Amino acid sequence: MATNFCPFPFKLGLHHSFSKSSSSLQVLINREIFLKVECRSQNAEEDFSGYGFSVDDRTAPQTDELILDHSLVVPHTNSYGHSFRDYEAKNERSEMVEELYRLSHINQTYDFAKHMRDKYRSLDHVEMSIWECCEILNDVVDESDPDLDEPQIQHLLQSAEAIRKDYPNQDWLHVTALIHDLGKVLLLPSFGGLPQWAVVGDTFPLGCAFDPSIVHYEHFKSSPDYKNPAYSTQLGVYSEGCGLDNILMSWGHDDYLYLVAKENKTTLPPAALFIIRYHSFYALHKSGAYKYLMNEEDAENLKWLQIFNKYDLYSKSKSGVDVDKVKPYYISLIKKVKLQTCLTLFSSSTFSYGVIDAMQYFPPKLKW
């Protein structure tokens, strides 16, 4: 039996029918859907190729469960011969990195982050595809990174390719790795040309006490929030177990891309959005700080983030990925649908007609 999936979403009216030769399909649903046709004939491709169907042997979505024991080899040193995330090591980037964190810790206040989130929530800068955004990151270098000074598109592809090797069937994780740093477009003039300290670097909660595990914690002493009694206790303006969704994080590429994904109605799973939003929150996922703010859902998603972090951090290398070679895979992946449920409308000895509730991970063009 061949199973055929229509590779693009479309809106059906109250009554929409397809017919070709003696094969027909009638659907009485008014929503964006994908069609699934189980064809028992030998001419599946011939019968349905005119409607954009492609023959596929899948009959159900693959599980999102991950196996935690995989083969990424963790290098002992970064590109400069030092340990990864060694902020005490002296090299050609260390002074620049510390200055960025000094400015971040002074200027990333509760009021600043709230203002920036409100400002960028409108997503009125440009409309472009995921891959177009990847390509413009070729002009961006993250000055907060002590481990690599390559263009960001290389970091994205290095992360995604490493995860793809170890988890070949978890394509939502490949997408997440590919896009996780796209929010760094905020550094570009067309997106406001924000300073590096307002876009990159480790993120941290605002509105409560700063944890000493945060990189270059000493510079928080010059922050207005450090001296604010309302923000100086462990819980600050929050309550224990309130959930990270209710926490105001320092502003940067993480939260911006999270807004982009949510507002463009991504179908990526919650764990992917958690990774996007908190992958720079090292005080949490590396040091275990701020766990008292988490709820049960956060605790489950944190497991995924800790898996992802290994690839985000240790895949960095001076050996670049051949962009032209891997581009077709990621283009097709971005367009791939997320399958959910199937409703069988009609079944006979020859055909089974049904509807799959599904959407692409992202629309062809996103608002940014």
Side-chain angles (χ1 to χ4, degrees):
M1 181 188 300
T3 303
N4 295 263
F5 292 96
C6 177
F8 51 87
F10 51 92
K11 183 77 75 175
L12 296 178
L14 291 176
H15 184 279
H16 199 110
S17 67
F18 291 89
S19 64
K20 187 175 183 179
S21 305
S22 59
S23 305
S24 65
L25 171 63
Q26 294 187 332
V27 182
L28 304 177
I29 294 181
N30 184 22
R31 60 178 299 177
E32 283 190 344
I33 61 173
F34 284 73
L35 303 181
K36 174 184 178 184
V37 180
E38 293 182 351
C39 180
R40 295 172 177 84
S41 75
Q42 299 298 313
N43 302 313
E45 288 201 62
E46 180 181 342
D47 288 348
F48 290 96
S49 61
Y51 306 117
F53 289 89
S54 60
V55 176
D56 195 323
D57 60 3
R58 294 170 298 171
T59 57
Q62 295 176 345
T63 177
D64 283 342
E65 182 179 359
L66 285 184
I67 301 171
L68 304 187
D69 183 18
H70 275 294
S71 61
L72 179 68
V73 177
V74 177
H76 294 294
T77 60
N78 63 15
S79 301
Y80 302 98
H82 299 290
S83 300
F84 282 84
R85 287 183 56 84
D86 185 350
Y87 290 92
E88 302 301 322
K90 299 300 180 183
N91 58 41
E92 59 193 76
R93 293 175 62 80
S94 57
E95 290 185 8
M96 176 181 65
V97 171
E98 180 168 0
E99 176 61 9
L100 183 147
Y101 275 103
R102 186 185 72 84
L103 293 172
S104 169
H105 294 351
I106 293 172
N107 294 296
Q108 287 274 8
T109 64
Y110 188 92
D111 290 342
F112 171 80
K114 191 172 184 301
H115 169 72
M116 297 302 284
R117 188 166 286 101
D118 292 341
K119 177 180 177 180
Y120 279 91
R121 191 182 297 275
S122 58
L123 303 181
D124 56 1
H125 288 85
V126 70
E127 289 192 14
M128 62 180 170
S129 69
I130 291 291
W131 190 260
E132 286 172 326
C133 190
C134 290
E135 291 182 324
I136 66 174
L137 277 186
N138 206 41
D139 298 324
V140 171
V141 173
D142 184 341
E143 293 181 3
S144 74
D145 192 342
D147 301 318
L148 193 66
D149 60 356
E150 295 296 308
Q152 284 298 293
I153 190 171
Q154 280 297 323
H155 169 54
L156 296 178
L157 290 173
Q158 287 171 350
S159 302
E161 284 292 283
I163 287 180
R164 179 184 173 190
K165 179 182 177 181
D166 282 358
Y167 300 101
N169 297 322
Q170 308 298 335
D171 54 22
W172 70 267
L173 200 55
H174 310 173
V175 175
T176 304
L178 178 70
I179 69 173
H180 75 279
D181 275 348
L182 292 187
K184 292 177 183 178
V185 293
L186 291 174
L187 294 167
L188 300 173
S190 57
F191 287 83
L194 296 183
Q196 292 256 347
W197 62 260
V199 180
V200 299
D202 289 9
T203 56
F204 43 86
L206 297 162
C208 60
F210 301 113
D211 190 85
S213 65
I214 300 171
V215 171
H216 290 301
Y217 167 83
E218 66 275 11
H219 294 303
F220 281 121
K221 295 177 182 179
S222 299
S223 166
D225 284 6
Y226 185 85
K227 307 175 182 68
N228 187 332
Y231 304 151
S232 61
T233 63
Q234 184 182 58
L235 290 174
V237 299
Y238 307 114
S239 58
E240 187 169 355
C242 63
L244 296 184
D245 263 350
N246 296 304
I247 305 300
L248 184 67
M249 298 293 293
S250 55
W251 174 252
H253 71 279
D254 313 63
D255 228 25
Y256 174 61
L257 183 63
Y258 172 79
L259 290 177
V260 170
K262 290 285 286 185
E263 294 300 318
N264 284 279
K265 302 187 186 308
T266 181
T267 61
L268 285 171
L273 294 175
F274 190 91
I275 290 169
I276 289 169
R277 195 174 194 183
Y278 302 113
H279 68 270
S280 300
F281 190 5
Y282 274 83
L284 172 69
H285 63 74
K286 181 182 179 182
S287 303
Y290 297 105
K291 285 189 174 181
Y292 49 84
L293 297 174
M294 294 168 53
N295 58 25
E296 291 183 5
E297 183 178 4
D298 295 329
E300 287 301 311
N301 287 330
L302 180 60
K303 299 173 185 177
W304 295 87
L305 175 53
Q306 290 171 327
I307 293 168
F308 170 83
N309 175 250
K310 180 173 68 171
Y311 297 89
D312 184 21
L313 181 59
Y314 297 118
S315 65
K316 296 174 182 178
S317 169
K318 289 286 189 179
S319 301
V321 175
D322 186 335
V323 177
D324 292 334
K325 182 178 180 180
V326 301
K327 178 178 177 179
Y329 171 72
Y330 289 102
I331 291 290
S332 67
L333 188 58
I334 293 164
K335 294 179 179 179
K336 186 176 179 180
V337 301
K338 175 190 177 187
L339 308 177
Q340 299 185 81
T341 57
C342 178
L343 170 66
T344 299
L345 301 181
F346 175 76
S347 182
S348 71
S349 60
T350 306
F351 290 101
S352 176
Y353 305 136
V355 177
I356 285 183
D357 181 9
M359 285 291 292
Q360 292 176 337
Y361 285 128
F362 289 98
K365 296 284 187 179
L366 287 72
K367 294 180 179 180
W368 297 81

